Amino acid sequence: MKRIFSGVQPTGNLHLGNYLGAIRNFARLQDEYECIYCVVDMHAITVWQEPAELEANTREVTATFLAAGIDPTRHIIFNQSQVPAHAELAWIFNCVARLGWLNRMTQFKEKAGKHRENASAGLYVYPVLMAADIMLYKATHVPVGEDQKQHLELTRDVAQKFNNDFGREVFPIVEPLIFGEATRVMSLRDGTKKMSKSDPSDYSRITMTDGPDEIAQKIRKAKTDPQPLPESVEGFEGRPEAANLITIYASLADMETEAVLAEHGGRQFSEFKAALTDLAVEKMGPVGQEMQRLMSDPGHVDAVLKDGAERADALARPILREVYEAVGFLNAR
Ligand code: AQP
């Protein structure tokens, strides 16, 4: 059986990178895999979240999953905190993962920054919880953006060490699914930085709820360089902003980058930006509108999450039981 698990944090400012790098792919995999898609609220609190905003953001991510076309009757959509086995397996994995492995995680270094001593312990063990999320369902594949590759390698290491330590093949070795033209969408203000929710500049990202005017304004203001568009991918060298805008176009249009260059190479940025705006409005507009519609019906969104949590819990319980037995936790009756 091929089973997918993937998650998105409800930390607000959901953006084009999250959509093209992850959520749109989630929807495209539904016919081939059994899918479990999670709003990872326990990951979100590794950095401070206002409680009322966390609730609203949890519904927003759920609405994005639904608006992107994920069918909650055929697959599972739920929020992590409602299935306690995530935390339970994470504790066991905390005892399997090695400090040396966690010390190598670049995302912790980036997020903790200079104030490492002040970062939460949760932020440090974030990749261990992620390993537990995936292994709790014995998922075989995880669709993610490029930035999550290192965490998936850690998941494989934890699973392998668990199997070795306890002498049983409890967990499969998971494969990342990183595909499409936009595996790493960059900031509109700086083509060397990842588009991210936490960037202080709103002009660095197109969010899922931006309307046509905001999309147009952000693309118009996007950083470029003075030369016309390159005519081949070799021309991307030293021109990260050009590479980023063309990659976004290719991904939105479902075209190869080379085909976009054949059509637009040699043109001025102003002309290309107009075409990119039209395309972004055409592709993102309906998703954003459907999200807004769903968010105005929180009862429906909550019902999807509740049903998903019950089904996820039913899948997770026997797997956690198998792990407890392997570890030697006595279940005295
Ligand atoms: N820029 C990106 N390009 C392509 N994929 C991306 N993803 C994130 N940014 C990009 C993918 O989106 C999924 C969900 O991400 P997440 O919410 O769990 O956390 P993140 O990767 O930490 O997202 P951000 O936007 O970068 O948030 P902050 O600013 O908090 O760090 C993942 O599959 C991720 O790969």
Side-chain angles (χ1 to χ4, degrees):
M1 178 189 49
K2 293 196 294 180
R3 182 181 277 175
I4 277 178
F5 179 95
S6 199
V8 174
Q9 298 186 72
T11 39
N13 289 333
L14 215 58
H15 54 74
L16 192 65
N18 299 132
Y19 183 67
L20 297 178
I23 300 169
R24 190 178 67 169
N25 291 343
F26 293 180
R28 292 181 173 184
L29 291 161
Q30 311 185 75
D31 293 332
E32 217 186 312
Y33 296 85
E34 177 190 355
C35 305
I36 304 168
Y37 294 129
C38 188
V39 187
V40 286
D41 47 7
M42 286 161 63
H43 281 277
I45 63 160
T46 55
V47 296
W48 173 250
Q49 304 297 321
E50 284 299 331
E53 281 174 30
L54 182 61
E55 274 192 14
N57 290 334
T58 300
R59 291 197 179 105
E60 187 188 52
V61 175
T62 310
T64 314
F65 284 172
L66 296 171
I70 299 167
D71 179 351
T73 61
R74 287 164 57 214
H75 301 283
I76 293 178
I77 296 177
F78 74 107
N79 57 320
Q80 189 184 22
S81 58
Q82 301 311 301
V83 178
H86 286 258
E88 294 171 288
L89 183 58
W91 178 254
I92 293 171
F93 279 2
N94 273 328
C95 301
V96 173
R98 306 288 95 181
L99 285 181
W101 302 354
L102 293 176
N103 286 338
R104 285 196 285 276
M105 295 295 113
T106 54
Q107 186 170 300
F108 174 75
K109 290 179 195 158
E110 282 161 19
K111 291 204 170 176
K114 291 190 208 98
H115 311 289
R116 209 184 148 105
E117 297 296 311
N118 216 17
S120 73
L123 188 66
Y124 187 67
V125 293
Y126 179 114
V128 180
L129 177 58
M130 179 165 157
D133 297 338
I134 299 164
M135 287 298 114
L136 187 56
Y137 304 96
K138 298 192 181 184
T140 53
H141 295 81
V142 181
V144 279
E146 277 278 337
D147 59 327
Q148 292 299 326
K149 225 171 150 178
Q150 196 186 32
H151 287 167
L152 277 180
E153 272 156 26
L154 188 115
T155 299
R156 293 162 66 107
D157 290 344
V158 172
Q160 212 143 30
K161 182 161 167 34
F162 183 97
N163 290 348
N164 288 344
D165 287 354
F166 296 101
R168 302 193 198 182
E169 289 301 302
V170 176
F171 296 116
I173 302 305
V174 71
E175 290 292 335
L177 290 173
I178 301 176
F179 65 95
E181 294 293 321
T183 54
R184 191 172 172 83
V185 177
M186 309 307 276
S187 157
L188 298 180
R189 306 300 291 162
D190 177 352
T192 63
K193 268 172 53 189
K194 192 181 79 139
M195 184 178 284
S196 103
K197 298 175 191 142
S198 54
D199 193 309
S201 168
D202 206 30
Y203 281 95
S204 68
R205 62 185 161 255
I206 292 173
T207 67
M208 298 303 297
T209 46
D210 281 342
D213 293 345
E214 285 150 312
I215 293 176
Q217 205 180 20
K218 288 178 180 181
I219 293 177
R220 206 175 323 115
K221 289 200 175 210
K223 187 176 169 198
T224 52
D225 56 48
Q227 298 165 57
L229 290 183
E231 303 201 28
S232 69
V233 282
E234 287 74 42
F236 285 162
E237 188 65 36
R239 302 184 65 191
E241 285 82 19
N244 188 36
L245 293 181
I246 289 165
T247 307
I248 292 174
Y249 189 104
S251 179
L252 284 169
D254 271 315
M255 288 167 76
E256 304 267 325
T257 305
E258 287 77 5
V260 179
L261 289 170
E263 211 174 300
H264 295 276
R267 291 194 181 160
Q268 296 302 319
F269 271 107
S270 52
E271 210 180 323
F272 178 68
K273 281 181 166 182
L276 179 58
T277 301
D278 289 347
L279 182 65
V281 170
E282 179 198 326
K283 300 286 181 180
M284 302 303 294
V287 185
Q289 279 162 16
E290 179 61 3
M291 265 178 76
Q292 307 276 18
R293 191 189 68 77
L294 287 160
M295 283 191 302
S296 67
D297 185 2
H300 172 64
V301 172
D302 291 6
V304 167
L305 289 173
K306 185 166 182 288
D307 172 63
E310 283 165 8
R311 287 155 59 212
D313 194 67
L315 291 177
R317 279 289 137 202
I319 295 175
L320 189 70
R321 179 71 22 227
E322 190 186 343
V323 172
Y324 276 21
E325 271 169 30
V327 170
F329 285 164
L330 176 67
N331 182 20
R333 284 167 218 277

